[in-house]
Amino acid sequence: MSRSNRPPCTPLRWPTPIRAPKSRRRRRDAARWGTIASRPTLTPPEALLRCAIRLTANARDIADHMAVSHPVPRARASAIAALAAVADEKGRTAALELGRRDADARVRDDCERWLTL
């Protein structure tokens, strides 16, 4: 076909979106995505630390160091939680008592809550 005898282009027509009622959309989305957690979930570094501490002594040394000197309170709290998770009852209490003496209120509150569990 040559350029001169080509049929003219017709514009595309987009279909009109048909939307379900709002209540049905909410139910469908809730079923697909689940519900929001009541508390924040673990960040990837926290999950990695909790797994690694069970594998090597070096990871336990890193967690000890993080529990005392990491600048981010959430990282200190997660290191304390990881240490408490692998320790026996006496070691768990000792790790959480370390967190109760922390300078940050969030770490103290988390350790206080974990001691009551």
Side-chain angles (χ1 to χ4, degrees):
M1 257 182 163
S2 70
R3 192 171 248 191
S4 61
N5 57 2
R6 238 187 239 170
C9 292
T10 57
L12 292 175
R13 293 197 62 209
W14 295 100
T16 307
I18 300 172
R19 298 189 63 141
K22 204 175 228 179
S23 61
R24 196 170 358 150
R25 282 191 310 232
R26 282 192 195 128
R27 281 195 307 264
R28 181 188 65 216
D29 290 344
R32 184 182 334 160
W33 300 110
T35 57
I36 296 173
S38 60
R39 61 183 173 82
T41 57
L42 295 177
T43 62
E46 289 172 331
L48 179 64
L49 179 65
R50 288 190 183 195
C51 292
I53 199 168
R54 296 178 189 275
L55 300 176
T56 65
N58 289 341
R60 200 167 285 186
D61 292 340
I62 291 170
D64 282 332
H65 181 70
M66 283 178 64
V68 176
S69 62
H70 200 280
V72 179
R74 183 171 178 168
R76 284 195 310 269
S78 66
I80 291 167
L83 287 168
V86 297
D88 59 350
E89 186 61 35
K90 189 175 180 180
R92 178 182 181 274
T93 305
L96 293 175
E97 287 294 334
L98 171 75
R100 288 179 65 193
R101 293 188 302 268
D102 195 84
D104 189 70
R106 179 178 186 259
V107 177
R108 288 192 308 264
D109 293 343
D110 284 348
C111 291
E112 186 72 38
R113 188 180 74 241
W114 294 330
L115 268 172
T116 61
L117 295 178

